[in-house]
Amino acid sequence: MNSDSVRPAVTELRLSAFKIHRGVTLPLGPLTLLSGGSGSGKSSALQAYAILARLGSGESLARALEEVAGGPSACVPAGARPDGQGRRGFRIGCTVDGPAGPVSLDLAVQAEPELRIVGERLTGCGETLLTTALTDPTRPAVQAAWHTAGATPVTRAPLPDDRLGTSLLPLRVAGKTAGQRLVLAAAEQVVVALRSAFVCDPRPEVMRAVGAGGAEGGCGGDGGGAAGRGAGTGSGVRRSGRGGAAGGAAGKAPGKPGGSGGVGTAGSWGTRGRRGSAGSGEAGGWSHGAQEQCDEGRLRSACDNLPTVLARTSRECARRHAVLVAAVREACVGPVEGLHTVPLRPGGAGVADAAAAVAGAVMGRGDGPGGGSSGAQAGPGAAGAEGVRAVLDRGELGELPVEQLGDGELRFLALALVLLTGPDVLAMDPVGEVPSAHQQMTVLADGMDRCMDHRQARELVSLAVRMTERGHVRLLGTVRDPSVADGLPGVQVLHLGV
């Protein structure tokens, strides 16, 4: 990325010691695909990026790691031996390019016996802009020193050991000296890039059965990954909720495991009792209730509220909706003349079941890798509680509810919609103080070609090429078959495990 760009972006991901990875550096372009066999660490790489993104959004370390299967200890490289105090951990980092030039962020995280950030380093413009170090293991804080270049070379102060220090600098640095302004510019660049990430993992079984906790089955995947798990509530909604009144109130109960009145999951990971902070309890992280109602028009990670978002996007931008319909036409079997939403009738379907059955038979789902599940659960699942259902107009064959599509077709539809939209339509938390023209969304898509046949996967990558060329969106995805990108311009394929 050109350092003159006004849109900060992560251009390098470092996995110094994370799960299967040791000393791995991944250069990231506008469209980067990771390929490799099962167990090569594709999903782990996206998971590391997602952890950095959540920390950059101001979330606590415990919440940033709550979706890691096995907890923080699972992030420790295999075979890592504990030190004399029984401590083990992992190290990750990234480089963000933008107006301030390349800025590097590196983190050292202690996973055992207590979860905490024990070291952080921010560098740029040939200067060390921030360093933190654990000096007193008995205190839930690290000693920070940031560049000042004034009467004193550095400023020292304690920072909490469960937050990313870089994200706290705008609240602590006055910006009076040239050195302080450099620190602020670098910190803002990193935070803007990290907060512009959207983890997308369309889950067909959840899209078909919203509110049922996610039906078992659906397509087979590559294993875990960074995306979308935790949809056990049926939605998988990620919300920041920082600074909410409930979080602030709950966070004042001292000495409870996990902070915030003890409701956080960090208690089971050995986080010391500490005073909670706003946003680290139920009001922060993954929230529900009124906040969920407000965000129904924003697409969630699992894409379970796709009908509501389609209703919104089709009204707001007819041109992009037409591009979406054209892409879906290429990916689906059978005719596709339109894509729209219809009101969901109370207690029943909003379209003719007979016509849907005929259209389903014509599609011949389930015959190949792109078919996946036949979608026999044709109830109101994909409409959810929003009162609308998304349907395909199949011309003479009638209308087909999208929940009756195969798994590959459902995932294609959801991922294509994400690529054609922006932060305002996605359930993410970009920096509100920075104009959207100065931000660049990064989509993290684990198992991008999961459940799709070669034709569908290639059409999706082709769409990604067209959208990333415009400069407003970037994509980091994993694929099983790297040949889906053969001959396509601007696609960087990194082969892991070779």
Side-chain angles (χ1 to χ4, degrees):
M1 179 177 175
N2 191 319
S3 61
D4 292 333
S5 170
V6 296
R7 300 188 185 103
V10 176
T11 55
E12 184 177 270
L13 179 65
R14 288 184 293 280
L15 309 172
S16 303
F18 184 78
K19 291 195 169 184
I20 192 176
H21 300 287
R22 285 183 179 272
V24 173
T25 298
L26 302 176
L28 305 181
L31 203 173
T32 302
L33 299 178
L34 307 181
S35 73
S38 178
S40 61
K42 303 185 299 295
S43 298
S44 296
L46 264 68
Q47 201 166 54
Y49 193 126
I51 291 170
L52 290 170
R54 297 189 72 166
L55 288 172
S57 294
E59 296 190 16
S60 69
L61 180 61
R63 286 202 172 273
L65 290 164
E66 67 184 355
E67 289 186 57
V68 177
S73 296
C75 298
V76 179
R81 297 179 179 274
D83 63 11
Q85 287 74 43
R87 298 175 297 188
R88 298 198 312 157
F90 60 90
R91 290 181 289 124
I92 56 178
C94 66
T95 296
V96 176
D97 217 341
V103 178
S104 295
L105 170 69
D106 292 283
L107 290 181
V109 177
Q110 175 186 300
E112 301 171 357
E114 297 171 325
L115 181 63
R116 64 202 317 180
I117 297 175
V118 295
E120 178 178 348
R121 184 181 179 90
L122 184 72
T123 58
C125 299
E127 300 284 352
T128 299
L129 305 176
L130 170 71
T131 59
T132 70
L134 181 66
T135 56
D136 184 355
T138 64
R139 299 182 58 199
V142 291
Q143 186 66 28
W146 56 83
H147 182 62
T148 303
T152 57
V154 298
T155 301
R156 303 182 188 276
L159 292 178
D161 66 355
D162 66 338
R163 305 278 169 167
L164 184 69
T166 298
S167 68
L168 301 177
L169 288 178
L171 302 175
R172 305 296 299 268
V173 179
K176 294 182 179 180
T177 69
Q180 290 176 338
R181 289 189 289 273
L182 177 61
V183 170
L184 288 174
E188 179 185 274
Q189 180 167 295
V190 170
V191 169
V192 167
L194 293 179
R195 285 179 62 172
S196 297
F198 179 69
V199 178
C200 185
D201 184 19
R203 301 182 58 185
E205 72 277 14
V206 179
M207 296 166 72
R208 293 190 181 104
V210 175
E216 292 297 327
C219 62
D222 289 18
R229 291 176 309 281
T233 59
S235 64
V237 186
R238 176 183 168 191
R239 303 235 169 56
S240 60
R242 286 181 298 281
K252 294 180 181 178
K256 299 287 187 70
S260 293
V263 297
T265 57
S268 62
W269 292 347
T271 302
R272 297 167 309 290
R274 68 177 79 201
R275 293 178 66 88
S277 56
S280 60
E282 283 298 317
W286 298 72
S287 62
H288 307 282
Q291 180 66 33
E292 184 171 339
Q293 295 284 335
C294 295
D295 276 355
E296 282 304 325
R298 303 176 70 199
L299 191 66
R300 298 191 282 259
S301 177
C303 300
D304 55 288
N305 61 334
L306 183 141
T308 300
V309 178
L310 272 176
R312 173 188 171 185
T313 56
S314 62
R315 293 192 308 266
E316 294 181 351
C317 186
R319 182 178 61 83
R320 290 210 173 190
H321 185 73
V323 175
L324 175 64
V325 173
V328 172
R329 184 180 298 119
E330 295 296 323
C332 288
V333 178
V336 175
E337 296 188 5
L339 173 65
H340 59 274
T341 57
V342 296
L344 180 67
R345 295 176 185 173
V351 294
D353 291 339
V358 172
V362 171
M363 289 180 64
R365 294 179 300 277
D367 295 333
S373 170
S374 65
Q377 309 138 303
E386 293 81 17
V388 295
R389 159 176 271 163
V391 297
L392 286 181
D393 179 359
R394 306 187 72 85
E396 294 180 354
L397 298 178
E399 293 181 331
L400 178 72
V402 298
E403 65 263 26
Q404 293 186 19
L405 293 173
D407 285 356
E409 294 164 320
L410 265 179
R411 283 182 58 84
F412 180 96
L413 170 59
L415 285 165
L417 178 61
V418 169
L419 290 171
L420 286 164
T421 58
D424 291 340
V425 184
L426 305 175
M428 56 186 294
D429 186 26
V431 179
E433 297 80 6
V434 178
S436 58
H438 291 185
Q439 300 187 51
Q440 193 172 38
M441 180 179 73
T442 297
V443 177
L444 305 180
D446 189 26
M448 185 172 171
D449 58 349
R450 188 184 307 153
C451 305
M452 299 183 197
D453 60 28
H454 188 276
R455 174 182 57 86
Q456 292 169 328
R458 185 170 179 84
E459 179 63 28
L460 184 61
V461 176
S462 298
L463 177 62
V465 168
R466 298 197 299 272
M467 299 312 299
T468 55
E469 282 178 346
R470 302 187 179 190
H472 293 280
V473 62
R474 296 169 67 91
L475 173 69
L476 174 60
T478 68
V479 293
R480 288 180 172 179
D481 179 11
S483 68
V484 298
D486 286 353
L488 294 178
V491 183
Q492 175 182 235
V493 179
L494 303 180
H495 302 276
L496 304 185
V498 295

